[in-house]
Amino acid sequence: MSASLLDIETKRKLREMNATDLLTAIDTQDPVVSAGLAFEDRLRMAVDEAYSSFTHSKVTGLIRRAGLRYPNADLRRIDLLEERGLDRSLLSHLGSCQFVTRQQNVVFQGFTGSGKSYLGCALAKRACEHRIRAHYMRMPDLEEAWTAAQEQTGGAGKFLRKYAAFTLLVIDEWLLDRPTESMRGMLLELMERRYGETSTVFCTQYQQKDWHQRLGAGVHADAIMDRIVHNTLWIETGTYNMREHTAAQT
C-alpha cells in the first residue's frame, strides 16, 4: 500500500475517478507507522485521511458559497456577557442544528448592534460544518435581486426555486424597510415553498407584535406570518450594543 506499489497507471485511474484525496493519502502515508500494519488497517488509515480532507473541502466550499457577512463568526465563541441575557444551553442546542432537521425557524430579535447579524452568520456557518446547504442574505439585497429577476424571462420562477432550495436561509435586516406589494407576494410564495421543508433564520429589530403592520397589515401579512410564527424559536438578543463593546476592547 506504500507509494512505491502504486504504478503510474493506477495513479492515473485514481485521478480520473476524482480520488485525488485518496491518492494523496496513500502517497503521504508514513512508511514507519504503516510498515507493521495489515493491508486492511493501512487502507482504513488512507481512507480516513482522504475522507477528512474531502469533508474539510466540502465544508469550506459550503461556507464560501453561503455568502456570510461575517465568515469568521463562530457560535461556540459567542460573547456571553451577562448584559446580553443569552442562554448558553439554547445556543448549544442551535449549534447541534437539530432545528434544521425539524424544519424549525429561528428569530434573532433585538436592538441595533446587539449582535443579530453575527449570530445569524454563526448559525449558518455551523450548519455548513454539519454539511447543510446554507445561505445568508440581507433583506434589502433580497428585494434588489427580486426586482432584477422580474425583468428577465422566467426570472421570477428561477429566483423562487433558488431561495426555496437552501436548507437554511438567513434573512438579515428582516422588515427593516416595509416591503412593497410585489415583495409581499414574493415573500408569501417563498415562505409557502419553504414551510415544512426547510428552516429560515430571521434577524430583526422588530418584535413579533410589529410584524403584521410592517408587512402591510393585509391578507398577505396574515398568510406570511402564518407560515413563520408557529414553528419558530424566538431569541431575544437584548439592548446591549456589542459594536460599542467590541470597539472599547480595541
Side-chain angles (χ1 to χ4, degrees):
M1 229 357 234
S2 65
S4 61
L5 296 180
L6 290 180
D7 56 38
I8 294 175
E9 180 63 10
T10 300
K11 291 183 177 182
R12 183 194 67 77
K13 290 176 180 177
L14 284 169
R15 291 192 184 95
E16 188 174 328
M17 293 187 298
N18 293 321
T20 306
D21 287 339
L22 180 58
L23 174 59
T24 300
I26 294 171
D27 276 343
T28 58
Q29 201 167 60
D30 190 333
V32 176
V33 174
S34 61
L37 298 176
F39 172 80
E40 292 83 355
D41 292 330
R42 294 162 70 183
L43 177 61
R44 176 183 55 76
M45 287 176 59
V47 170
D48 285 349
E49 180 66 27
Y51 184 74
S52 177
S53 178
F54 167 78
T55 300
H56 177 74
S57 297
K58 179 80 171 177
V59 168
T60 300
L62 285 170
I63 293 172
R64 183 179 66 254
R65 291 188 293 273
L68 304 181
R69 181 176 180 180
Y70 301 109
N72 294 323
D74 191 333
L75 201 63
R76 294 159 294 191
R77 292 181 173 83
I78 297 296
D79 194 333
L80 296 173
L81 287 170
E82 184 177 349
E83 292 90 340
R84 302 186 75 183
L86 294 174
D87 186 331
R88 185 184 298 274
S89 62
L90 179 55
L91 292 180
S92 178
H93 169 69
L94 289 176
S96 71
C97 291
Q98 292 180 26
F99 75 95
V100 179
T101 305
R102 297 168 181 164
Q103 294 86 46
Q104 290 179 298
N105 300 317
V106 176
V107 173
F108 290 118
Q109 188 275 318
F111 279 54
T112 298
S114 61
K116 303 180 297 296
S117 300
Y118 186 95
L119 284 163
C121 288
L123 193 53
K125 184 176 180 180
R126 188 63 180 149
C128 291
E129 292 170 349
H130 282 269
R131 297 177 66 177
I132 294 169
R133 188 167 176 244
H135 190 71
Y136 167 93
M137 195 78 167
R138 294 171 59 250
M139 191 164 177
D141 294 334
L142 188 68
E143 183 166 12
E144 184 177 323
W146 169 242
T147 300
Q150 294 176 91
E151 297 174 355
Q152 304 170 9
T153 303
K158 184 177 180 181
F159 174 96
L160 287 166
R161 287 191 295 272
K162 173 182 177 180
Y163 288 100
F166 291 113
T167 308
L168 179 65
L169 177 63
V170 178
I171 304 180
D172 196 3
E173 300 179 5
W174 171 249
L175 300 182
L176 179 64
D177 297 314
R178 295 176 187 269
T180 62
E181 182 177 353
S182 173
M183 188 70 172
R184 288 195 297 270
M186 181 279 289
L187 288 172
L188 173 56
E189 181 61 29
L190 181 60
M191 292 303 125
E192 169 62 24
R193 295 189 184 201
R194 295 184 60 79
Y195 181 76
E197 300 290 336
T198 58
S199 295
T200 308
V201 176
F202 303 89
C203 305
T204 182
Q205 298 179 36
Y206 294 97
Q207 297 179 2
Q208 181 181 340
K209 65 181 180 64
D210 300 318
W211 284 25
H212 193 264
Q213 185 65 33
R214 299 292 298 177
L215 285 166
V219 292
H220 278 110
D222 294 335
I224 292 168
M225 291 191 66
D226 187 57
R227 287 158 176 78
I228 296 175
V229 302
H230 303 302
N231 192 30
T232 296
L233 300 171
W234 297 80
I235 300 168
E236 300 288 334
T237 60
T239 61
Y240 192 81
N241 194 310
M242 290 304 297
R243 290 196 185 96
E244 290 183 6
H245 172 77
T246 301
Q249 302 303 306
T250 59

